Amino acid sequence: MTNEEVRDRIARVREQISNEAAKAGRKEPRLLAATKTVPAEQILFAVTECGIDLIGENRVQELTAKYPVLEGRVRQHFIGRLQRNKVKYIIDKVDMIESLDSMELALEIEKQAKKAGRVMDVLLEVNTGREAQKGGFFPEMLEQALGAIAELPHLKVRGLMAVAPVTDSSVKKSRYFAETYQKFIDISQKKLHNIDMSILSMGMTDSFPEAIACGSTEVRLGSALFGSRAAAPGTEEPQQEANRKQK
Ligand SMILES: *Cc1c(COP(=O)(O)O)cnc(C)c1O
């Protein structure tokens, strides 16, 4: 993908996001560029030439490798499965961890954030479909987890994140997103102590129109912006990877 193609795609996707939001009578969600496998120089192009102001990486090693080029240029979120022993490598590099999927991980982020003298913004990953191969809190566990995380002084919850199951069915995607949105609203209305429910991160290339229609406030788009990824080892989708491991 050339830089010029990326520029065109970003423009077209922005238009599509606007249209979908208008059509559904929803506020326009924020665009996060999911940059796995995209070279740092092309990401920098998207940032400096195409107005991308938020990116997400889902592998620690990739994030730290590209960091010298991107440091201070763009907001970075971590969006992938995060192993506890790797939190220390990203704690001073990202603005948010969207994929907080267990209490154990929350405690490790608390420890490392305290050490680094900062507060880390997080989204709780919710596993709305209770899929066994996927991470995240089951919906019925969310409130209890939020109660515990609210007591950690170096974490600040900003909302929820969800990854839809892989399916060709638009109806199934919509149902998944609608259920997740309902959970988001239910929790928002409870006004839990020290919990800010302003972000609902859901929707990827194959599902963002449905996600926007269902109230997403942030879509995470990779291939729509940068083209399809080569299936090199270690570059799979989290869902594909999970499916493969399960086999
Ligand atoms: C790769 C990735 C995305 C973007 O996926 P596309 O299908 O390329 O848009 C979004 N969220 C997460 C967690 C990802 O790993």
Side-chain angles (χ1 to χ4, degrees), residues 32-36 56-58 79-81 98-99 125 161-163 201 203-208 219-225 227 229 236-239:
L32 173 146
T35 48
K36 57 175 169 270
E57 284 287 347
N58 71 334
I79 61 175
R81 263 280 169 93
E98 296 200 4
S99 42
E125 184 171 348
M161 181 267 222
V163 179
S201 171
M204 300 174 28
T205 293
D206 69 347
S207 61
F208 73 95
V219 290
R220 307 178 309 269
L221 304 186
S223 36
L225 310 179
R229 292 175 288 274
E236 297 169 279
E237 304 294 317
Q239 189 68 53

Side-chain angles (χ1 to χ4, degrees), residues 24-217:
R26 298 276 190 188
K27 199 164 163 265
E28 245 179 72
R30 190 164 182 189
L31 171 60
L32 173 146
T35 48
K36 57 175 169 270
T37 77
V38 180
E41 297 304 333
Q42 186 153 75
I43 300 171
L44 192 59
F45 172 83
V47 168
T48 56
E49 305 291 322
C50 318
I52 292 294
D53 60 2
L54 173 61
I55 67 167
E57 284 287 347
N58 71 334
R59 283 178 191 277
V60 169
Q61 207 187 339
E62 211 180 319
L63 187 147
T64 55
K66 295 174 190 173
Y67 191 71
V69 178
L70 299 169
E71 180 179 7
R73 314 291 295 258
V74 61
R75 238 184 108 79
Q76 295 209 40
H77 289 185
F78 191 80
I79 61 175
R81 263 280 169 93
L82 182 54
Q83 286 171 283
R84 270 180 289 166
N85 61 0
K86 295 198 174 157
V87 173
K88 56 179 175 286
Y89 301 121
I90 64 163
I91 198 73
D92 58 343
K93 298 184 178 63
V94 300
D95 301 289
M96 185 184 288
I97 295 173
E98 296 200 4
S99 42
L100 173 51
D101 61 1
S102 72
M103 262 328 283
E104 291 73 25
L105 180 58
L107 293 173
E108 180 62 20
I109 297 171
E110 165 64 24
K111 181 174 147 194
Q112 297 298 339
K114 183 178 180 186
K115 226 191 245 180
R118 67 168 297 175
V119 172
M120 180 60 79
D121 281 343
V122 296
L123 303 182
L124 260 63
E125 184 171 348
V126 53
N127 186 347
T128 301
R130 295 175 184 78
E131 295 161 87
Q133 75 276 22
K134 211 156 84 179
F137 295 92
F138 287 1
E140 67 273 18
M141 300 302 292
L142 263 185
E143 207 175 318
Q144 192 193 344
L146 286 165
I149 292 168
E151 301 303 321
L152 303 177
H154 300 87
L155 258 71
K156 181 70 192 173
V157 175
R158 297 293 178 193
L160 303 181
M161 181 267 222
V163 179
V166 175
T167 170
D168 292 332
S169 161
S170 184
V171 172
K172 277 187 192 155
K173 284 178 214 170
S174 295
R175 197 183 302 143
Y176 189 89
F177 290 137
E179 238 181 90
T180 307
Y181 178 75
Q182 193 52 52
K183 194 76 202 170
F184 175 72
I185 293 299
D186 289 349
I187 292 173
S188 308
Q189 284 172 348
K190 288 192 172 146
K191 302 207 188 310
L192 300 173
H193 159 71
N194 202 23
I195 297 293
D196 167 30
M197 273 289 141
S198 46
I199 301 174
L200 177 58
S201 171
M202 60 183 193
M204 300 174 28
T205 293
D206 69 347
S207 61
F208 73 95
E210 290 91 346
I212 293 171
C214 293
S216 167
T217 76

